[in-house]
Amino acid sequence: MVERKKIEIPAGAKVKVSVGPEEKFPFDISPMYEGERIRKEDMFVELGGPKQVKFELVLALPPEQVEDMKVTLVGPDLDEMQEGKEYPYAMIYYIAGSKVETDLEPVIERRNHDFQNYIEGYMHLNQRYDVWVRIGKGSIKKGLKSLIQIAKATMMLYKNELPFIEKIEALYITDKELVEKLLKEVAMPVYEERDKRVEMLHDEDVEEFYSCTLCQSFAPTNVCVVSPDRPSLCGAISWFDGRAAAKVDPEGPNRAIPKGEVLDPIGGEYSGVNEFAKQESGGEYERIKLHSFFEFPHTSCGCFEVIGFYMPEVDGIGWVHRGYAGPAPNGLTFSTMAGQTGGGKQVAGFLGIGINYFRSKKFIQADGGWYRVVWMPKELKERVSKYIPDDIRDKIATEENAKNLDELKEFLKKVDHPVVKGVVRKVDGKKITEGWVEEKVEEKVEEKKEEAPAPTPAVAQPAPAVGMPMQMPAFQLPAIQMPASQPAPAGIKLVIKDAKITIGKIVVKKSKGES
C-alpha cells in the first residue's frame, strides 16, 4: 500500500499559509452555479486543462496530522497571474475523522468537482490528472484575489455536506516543477493502487452496482453505472468506491442499483439497471448494455477519459484519449467527437469510457472486444498495452502507422487484422462480422481485330465494400444511400430527428396545361 503522508514542501519555494475559516467570500456559493460555463473570452486564467500539468488528490491521514481549515499555497497566486494565460494546478486535501478510511479517498476526491462548481465564476471539469479549471473575469472584479479563498470555500462545503470529515487541510500548488514531481511520485501510484483492487472482481460476483450522478449538472440525462467490470466514465469511481460512498451517504450521488434479472449476459443488460436508467434519465433512455458499443450503449457524460468511434470504412473501432491533440483517422479530434457524444447521450458509433475499462475482461465484449479495435494513439496504447491480448496487440495501428482511413486500410490488410476477414467474438465463439467484401471485376478477352479499338478512358476501380456491424439500435438514424439517377423506391420512410433544415429559396411554377 502506498504510504499516506503529508507532502514535504521544498526549501526556498514561494509559500502562502492561512489557518481558520474565511469570514466572508467575494463570490456567491450555491448549487445554482452548477453547470456554469466560462468561455475563453470571459476567462481570467485557466488552471490545468489541456496545456498544463495538473491533478487533484485526497489522502486520509490520522487526526493528529491534519490541521483543520489550514491552506498552504505553493507558487504564484491569482494576483500574480497574467490574464488569459494557463497555469499548472494541483489540489491536495488531507482529511481525518473516526469514519474516514482509505476506501473513501476517491469518493471524496470526486466531490471536489461537485463542490467547486457551487462557486460563482469558477468552472471545474474532469478529475484526477485531467482537471480543468477556469476562473471568470467577473469573479476577479468582485474581489477574488487568492486561490486560498477558493480552497477555504471548498473545505467549508466538504465539512458541511460530509459531516464525517472532522478535519480537513488543503495544499494548492501552481509551481510547475513541484506539480510534475508530485504527480509522478505521489498521485499516480495512489491512482494505480486504487485501480488494481477491482481486477479480480466481476459483475456476476455481486448483487448490486452503484450509480454516480455527479456529472448531471453538465449532462442531465447521463446514467453512470459503476460495476466491477465497468468503472465510471471519469475513471475516478470504482465499484469499491461506490460501495464505500453509499455506505456513508446513502442518499448521495453514489447509490446502490439492484442488478435484477440478467437480460443479456454478454452485452451486460440487467432489468435493475434498465429501471434505474429510465428513472435517472427522466424517461429518455430505457435500456443500457454495459459492455456493448453499438446496441443500447452506456450514456456518455462529458468527463470521460477516452472516446471510442466506429469507422464503417474498415468496420472497426478506434479510441482516442483526452490528451491527444491531433485528429484521429476519421478526421475528427477528441474535442469534436466529445461535443457530439457528451451531455448524457446514448449514441451508437461513439462511446465515452474511463481508461480503466480497458482493464476489464468484459471490455465491449458484445462487439468483439479488443479484436474489433483497429486504432489508438501510441501514448494510450502503451499505457494499456499489458491488457491487450498478445495476438492482436501488434495489429492495432497508432498514429505512426496510419493518420487517415486510406493508410489505416492498408495497415489492417498488411497485418491481417480480424476485421478484414470477419471478427469472431471470443466470449462465445460467434462470428459477428463478415469482413471486407472485395468486388471482383471480370475482364472479357476479345479476339484480336484488324483495327485497333479507340482508346477508352480509364475507369476507377470501386472501393472495397466493408461488412456492416451488428444492427444499430432504434435511436440511430440509418444511413440510406441510393443512386442519384434513380428515384427512391416506394415504401421507404425517413424519420429525421433533431435536424435543422434551411431552405434558401422556394420557386413555385404553374404546370403546363393548368389554366
Side-chain angles (χ1 to χ4, degrees), residues 68-105:
D68 195 31
M69 295 303 290
K70 176 183 177 181
V71 180
T72 302
L73 174 65
V74 181
D77 205 348
L78 290 176
D79 56 1
E80 302 167 274
M81 294 180 180
Q82 186 177 344
E83 184 176 318
K85 298 294 184 181
E86 304 92 11
Y87 294 86
Y89 199 32
M91 294 173 280
I92 301 170
Y93 300 97
Y94 308 120
I95 58 169
S98 59
K99 293 183 179 180
V100 169
E101 53 189 40
T102 305
D103 284 356
L104 284 172
E105 287 177 349

Side-chain angles (χ1 to χ4, degrees), residues 471-499:
Q471 183 180 358
M472 299 296 185
F475 50 77
Q476 189 196 30
L477 177 68
I480 299 176
Q481 296 180 347
M482 290 171 286
S485 59
Q486 298 179 11
I492 294 292
K493 180 181 178 182
L494 290 178
V495 178
I496 301 177
K497 284 188 172 183
D498 300 324

Side-chain angles (χ1 to χ4, degrees), residues 80-148:
E80 302 167 274
M81 294 180 180
Q82 186 177 344
E83 184 176 318
K85 298 294 184 181
E86 304 92 11
Y87 294 86
Y89 199 32
M91 294 173 280
I92 301 170
Y93 300 97
Y94 308 120
I95 58 169
S98 59
K99 293 183 179 180
V100 169
E101 53 189 40
T102 305
D103 284 356
L104 284 172
E105 287 177 349
V107 178
I108 295 168
E109 190 176 292
R110 191 69 186 107
R111 296 301 291 272
N112 193 48
H113 170 80
D114 199 9
F115 298 145
Q116 290 206 328
N117 279 309
Y118 288 4
I119 299 173
E120 178 191 20
Y122 184 99
M123 183 183 78
H124 178 289
L125 298 175
N126 309 330
Q127 66 295 313
R128 284 192 174 185
Y129 38 71
D130 279 329
V131 288
W132 185 354
V133 168
R134 280 181 175 175
I135 296 177
K137 295 176 184 176
S139 294
I140 302 299
K141 290 177 182 177
K142 290 182 72 172
L144 175 61
K145 297 178 181 178
S146 174
L147 289 171
I148 288 176

Side-chain angles (χ1 to χ4, degrees), residues 223-481:
V223 184
C224 195
V225 179
V226 181
S227 78
D229 283 302
R230 201 182 201 285
S232 64
L233 280 67
C234 67
I237 304 293
S238 70
W239 182 86
F240 286 105
D241 303 332
R243 184 180 66 170
K247 182 179 176 182
V248 297
D249 187 11
E251 299 303 317
N254 304 113
R255 303 198 306 276
I257 306 172
K259 284 166 52 177
E261 182 185 353
V262 181
L263 303 177
D264 179 358
I266 293 177
E269 184 177 16
Y270 300 85
S271 61
V273 171
N274 286 344
E275 290 170 16
F276 181 81
K278 185 176 182 179
Q279 172 189 324
E280 286 300 305
S281 70
E284 186 74 16
Y285 307 114
E286 297 185 0
R287 295 179 69 185
I288 284 181
K289 295 192 175 187
L290 300 181
H291 307 299
S292 172
F293 191 95
F294 296 112
E295 190 176 27
F296 305 106
H298 195 289
T299 57
S300 298
C301 56
C303 292
F304 45 76
E305 297 179 290
V306 180
I307 190 166
F309 53 97
Y310 174 64
M311 292 174 280
E313 296 84 354
V314 295
D315 197 15
I317 296 168
W319 300 92
V320 61
H321 62 294
R322 188 176 293 276
Y324 186 72
N330 62 359
L332 303 175
T333 61
F334 177 93
S335 58
T336 300
M337 288 187 276
Q340 297 173 353
T341 311
K345 294 191 285 289
Q346 189 181 55
V347 183
F350 290 96
L351 182 69
I353 66 166
I355 284 178
N356 285 321
Y357 186 42
F358 288 122
R359 295 172 178 255
S360 175
K361 301 293 184 184
K362 294 181 172 63
F363 168 65
I364 60 166
Q365 67 176 6
D367 304 296
W370 283 107
Y371 297 89
R372 197 69 174 275
V373 176
V374 296
W375 189 90
M376 303 172 81
K378 182 182 178 182
E379 180 186 346
L380 179 61
K381 184 179 176 182
E382 288 179 348
R383 185 169 172 183
V384 301
S385 179
K386 64 181 178 180
Y387 303 106
I388 305 175
D390 294 340
D391 59 341
I392 193 67
R393 187 181 297 114
D394 294 338
K395 296 182 179 183
I396 297 173
T398 71
E399 70 275 21
E400 293 184 347
N401 309 118
K403 291 184 172 63
N404 54 52
L405 289 169
D406 289 337
E407 292 177 0
L408 182 58
K409 285 180 185 177
E410 290 305 312
F411 175 85
L412 298 176
K413 279 195 248 182
K414 180 180 177 182
V415 298
D416 194 25
H417 192 287
V419 297
V420 178
K421 295 176 181 175
V423 174
V424 175
R425 195 162 62 186
K426 297 296 179 181
V427 67
D428 60 358
K430 180 181 179 181
K431 189 173 183 181
I432 58 171
T433 70
E434 294 304 317
W436 300 356
V437 180
E438 299 275 0
E439 290 186 8
K440 294 181 180 180
V441 179
E442 295 183 2
E443 295 182 0
K444 279 189 176 181
V445 181
E446 296 183 0
E447 292 182 7
K448 189 175 180 181
K449 297 181 180 180
E450 292 183 5
E451 293 183 9
T456 56
V459 179
Q461 297 296 324
V466 299
M468 292 306 292
M470 297 168 65
Q471 183 180 358
M472 299 296 185
F475 50 77
Q476 189 196 30
L477 177 68
I480 299 176
Q481 296 180 347

